[in-house]
Amino acid sequence: MQKKIVSELNPNVSVDCVIFGFDLEKLNVLVIDRGENQLAENVRLALPGNLIYNNENLEQAAYRVLEELTSLKDIYLEQIGAFGDPNRICKEADRAWLQSIRAEPEARVITVAFFSLVKMEDYMPHAASFAKNAAWIPANEITDLAFDHYDILQAARNKLKEKIKIQPIGFNLLPEKFTLSQLHKLYESILDKELDKRNFRRKVQKLDILTQLNEKQEGVPHKPSELYKFNEEKYQEITQNGYDNFGF
Amino acid sequence: MQKKIVSELNPNVSVDCVIFGFDLEKLNVLVIDRGENQLAENVRLALPGNLIYNNENLEQAAYRVLEELTSLKDIYLEQIGAFGDPNRICKEADRAWLQSIRAEPEARVITVAFFSLVKMEDYMPHAASFAKNAAWIPANEITDLAFDHYDILQAARNKLKEKIKIQPIGFNLLPEKFTLSQLHKLYESILDKELDKRNFRRKVQKLDILTQLNEKQEGVPHKPSELYKFNEEKYQEITQNGYDNFGF
DNA sequence: GGTCTGTGTGTCATTTTTACACTTTCAAAT
DNA sequence: ATTTGAAAGTGTAAAAATGACACACAGACC
């Protein structure tokens, strides 16, 4: 009696997405609100995620789920890893919630987590499906989330920390035009430590992957900053010749 | 109609293990032979792996499966990630093989891969269960494996490369007492590039995590080398004070 | 005693890192 | 018009890390 593989939900495997945004001040994370009013906020909030279909790969599933829940699409996702503790679904509120949305709410689920970096301005989330709301929350203000999502978030932050030491992915979080101070703040937010301003600027300039736009910030109540943009071509050129030290 | 979670195999989730060993010359990988004589060797070989039980976490499952198939136990496993392409089971030989060992051979399976480093001398594998044989194979001689195991192996090697630049995990691959040349060769095998001998030795010595044993190699047809051992206490001490630059 | 083979060692030039403080420019308030 | 506040922008010197490079030594074996 062998089951044919069809496009049906797999009750045992889900995907979750940690989407980072940067509001030019601090790191934010996209969370959905499950909207059960009687619950405290921290247990209502969850990472966008859901079960996968049997005919899609993990990354596709993550894209789909993310778009279904938050309307975000066309963003690059990178895998963090699998989270599969048998009692990752132990909180009562989580169990109750699953009862309301899953066909097999008691099934053992392992989840594969992904993360991404987006420009917050480009991706204003709109909640849909079982997400009653979708919103950016400052990463440092999150103290708990549904299921094991808080652990996943921490793993994502660590992964991001490691990755940004090697690749200049931070630019994905910034608007097209940005100042060196904004970039500086971004690195400090991600690495969670202070970086000397002059040393940081020297290092960035040595990388030689920024184009100075000869435009200045406007409307700021202080000396306006030069604007820069990320130079993708230059970056390709450099990395193709085997350079990979973008460390901070 | 809700299913009770019991200790049964989950048909949709498996674990696979990439176990690295070092024979003082080159990097080896532990593979099992599925032993179907009519098949070419490269498709007979696979990473040790199998479905998980619903009541165990992913790491426990990996330990259990590894021990069941190869008799190796008590080793530290680190997750590589999840591999879940819907057609990762596309080769005819693999499908046929699954028919013979699985209750639901056509089920969609996503696998979570782990890797580990062991001292080859301590872990002479003995095949069991559906593994007809378990053996160390030089990593560079492997050109193909069952399922997507070759991809998993490559991912493991990359992970190892990244990790060894940050943590001195290489010592797990060496015998208790080892020479600097052996350590040197190990790093060259993993990083897949030559390292200058004197610079390498200088760097290791600056790390200050080796204890010189004041013993020499015996029975070698050349000047015998000094023997060293890894100094765990020193390492703890250093890392606890927030030092993390073990890069090569 | 000679040969073979891997061991073990030092220096110098260059690059990278770290620590550190003051002047400039604009907007807003007076 | 002047002052004030707030972030932008800039240089240097000392210390540390890196990279390139060549030859004498010790033991095994013949």
Side-chain angles (χ1 to χ4, degrees):
Chain A
M1 192 202 80
Q2 79 196 41
K3 236 190 282 178
K4 193 87 186 168
I5 296 174
V6 291
S7 295
E8 56 191 16
L9 285 173
N10 187 311
N12 296 310
V13 183
S14 66
V15 287
D16 285 301
C17 301
V18 182
I19 310 299
F20 290 109
F22 184 66
D23 60 13
L24 303 187
E25 288 291 334
K26 54 202 171 330
L27 204 57
N28 284 255
V29 178
L30 182 58
V31 298
I32 61 172
D33 190 331
R34 296 181 290 172
E36 291 155 292
N37 302 339
Q38 72 276 26
L39 297 176
E41 187 182 61
N42 62 341
V43 296
R44 291 206 326 256
L45 299 180
L47 297 174
N50 204 358
L51 298 177
I52 69 171
Y53 282 105
N54 271 327
N55 67 340
E56 64 190 350
N57 71 32
L58 296 167
E59 209 177 30
Q60 285 165 353
Y63 280 115
R64 176 184 55 77
V65 167
L66 181 63
E67 186 176 355
E68 284 174 6
L69 291 170
T70 69
S71 79
L72 264 66
K73 56 183 177 177
D74 296 327
I75 64 182
Y76 171 74
L77 291 168
E78 173 155 335
Q79 191 185 125
I80 299 164
F83 296 77
D85 199 87
N87 34 11
R88 56 184 288 272
I89 304 172
C90 58
K91 301 173 196 162
E92 200 39 59
D94 291 335
R95 301 170 74 93
W97 186 65
L98 287 180
Q99 295 282 348
S100 71
I101 60 159
R102 294 255 167 106
E104 297 183 40
E106 300 284 334
R108 162 78 183 277
V109 177
I110 78 127
T111 198
V112 181
F114 291 82
F115 79 94
S116 186
L117 309 178
V118 304
K119 306 186 201 311
M120 273 176 75
E121 46 177 24
D122 292 358
Y123 292 99
M124 273 307 150
H126 300 290
S129 181
F130 56 74
K132 299 292 176 275
N133 193 12
W136 293 106
I137 307 267
N140 285 331
E141 292 177 15
I142 296 175
T143 57
D144 196 14
L145 289 171
F147 308 114
D148 55 356
H149 287 186
Y150 186 73
D151 297 335
I152 294 175
L153 172 60
Q154 296 313 316
R157 291 190 73 169
N158 287 331
K159 193 101 177 180
L160 177 55
K161 233 186 236 184
E162 293 311 313
K163 181 137 177 144
I164 206 168
K165 288 181 191 165
I166 299 174
Q167 271 183 48
I169 50 176
F171 301 103
N172 295 321
L173 285 163
L174 290 170
E176 195 68 25
K177 302 174 181 186
F178 53 86
T179 72
L180 291 183
S181 296
Q182 289 164 351
L183 186 63
H184 183 198
K185 242 182 211 158
L186 171 58
Y187 272 81
E188 289 189 330
S189 307
I190 292 177
L191 297 175
D192 208 19
K193 70 174 177 190
E194 290 196 356
L195 301 171
D196 179 85
K197 180 164 59 160
R198 277 177 290 191
N199 294 342
F200 177 82
R201 295 167 88 98
R202 173 160 34 117
K203 199 152 184 175
V204 168
Q205 275 162 18
K206 179 118 49 72
L207 289 182
D208 196 28
I209 50 173
L210 294 190
T211 307
Q212 187 170 347
L213 292 169
N214 294 315
E215 284 179 67
K216 287 187 198 297
Q217 263 184 322
E218 284 175 20
V220 288
H222 53 74
K223 178 174 176 178
S225 176
E226 285 289 334
L227 290 169
Y228 293 81
K229 67 171 186 182
F230 176 53
N231 186 336
E232 183 92 32
E233 303 83 52
K234 198 98 185 189
Y235 171 63
Q236 293 301 340
E237 194 185 306
I238 293 170
T239 48
Q240 269 162 33
N241 299 332
Y243 183 79
D244 74 341
N245 179 19
F246 297 91
F248 289 86
Chain B
M1 191 203 78
Q2 78 196 43
K3 238 191 279 180
K4 193 91 184 164
I5 296 175
V6 291
S7 296
E8 54 191 19
L9 285 173
N10 186 309
N12 296 310
V13 183
S14 67
V15 288
D16 285 300
C17 301
V18 182
I19 310 299
F20 290 109
F22 184 65
D23 59 14
L24 303 187
E25 289 291 334
K26 55 203 170 328
L27 204 58
N28 285 256
V29 178
L30 182 57
V31 297
I32 62 172
D33 190 331
R34 296 181 291 171
E36 292 155 291
N37 301 339
Q38 72 277 24
L39 297 175
E41 188 183 59
N42 63 339
V43 296
R44 292 207 324 258
L45 300 179
L47 297 174
N50 204 358
L51 297 177
I52 69 170
Y53 282 105
N54 271 327
N55 67 340
E56 64 190 352
N57 71 32
L58 296 167
E59 209 176 33
Q60 284 165 352
Y63 280 115
R64 175 184 55 77
V65 167
L66 181 63
E67 185 175 356
E68 283 174 5
L69 291 171
T70 69
S71 81
L72 265 66
K73 57 181 176 178
D74 296 329
I75 64 182
Y76 171 73
L77 291 168
E78 173 154 335
Q79 190 185 127
I80 299 164
F83 295 77
D85 199 88
N87 34 10
R88 57 184 287 273
I89 305 171
C90 59
K91 300 174 196 164
E92 200 38 60
D94 291 335
R95 301 170 73 92
W97 186 66
L98 287 179
Q99 296 282 348
S100 73
I101 60 160
R102 295 252 166 107
E104 296 184 42
E106 300 284 333
R108 161 77 184 277
V109 177
I110 79 127
T111 198
V112 180
F114 291 81
F115 81 94
S116 185
L117 310 178
V118 304
K119 307 186 201 310
M120 273 176 75
E121 48 178 23
D122 291 358
Y123 292 99
M124 272 307 149
H126 299 291
S129 181
F130 57 74
K132 299 294 177 273
N133 194 11
W136 293 106
I137 308 268
N140 285 330
E141 292 176 16
I142 296 175
T143 57
D144 196 15
L145 291 170
F147 308 113
D148 55 354
H149 288 186
Y150 186 73
D151 297 335
I152 294 175
L153 172 59
Q154 296 314 317
R157 291 190 72 170
N158 287 332
K159 193 101 178 181
L160 177 53
K161 230 186 241 187
E162 294 310 314
K163 181 136 179 145
I164 207 167
K165 288 181 190 166
I166 299 174
Q167 271 184 45
I169 50 176
F171 301 104
N172 295 321
L173 285 163
L174 290 169
E176 196 68 25
K177 303 173 180 184
F178 54 86
T179 71
L180 291 184
S181 298
Q182 290 164 352
L183 186 62
H184 183 199
K185 242 182 212 157
L186 171 59
Y187 272 81
E188 290 188 329
S189 308
I190 291 176
L191 297 176
D192 208 21
K193 70 174 178 191
E194 291 196 356
L195 301 170
D196 179 85
K197 180 166 59 161
R198 276 177 290 191
N199 294 342
F200 177 83
R201 293 167 91 98
R202 179 181 24 170
K203 199 151 185 175
V204 169
Q205 277 162 18
K206 180 121 43 76
L207 289 183
D208 196 28
I209 50 174
L210 295 190
T211 307
Q212 187 170 348
L213 293 169
N214 295 315
E215 281 180 67
K216 288 187 200 296
Q217 263 183 323
E218 283 175 20
V220 289
H222 54 74
K223 176 174 178 178
S225 176
E226 285 289 334
L227 290 170
Y228 294 80
K229 68 172 186 180
F230 176 55
N231 186 336
E232 184 93 32
E233 303 83 53
K234 197 99 185 192
Y235 171 63
Q236 294 300 341
E237 195 184 304
I238 294 171
T239 48
Q240 268 162 34
N241 299 332
Y243 183 77
D244 74 342
N245 178 20
F246 296 92
F248 288 86

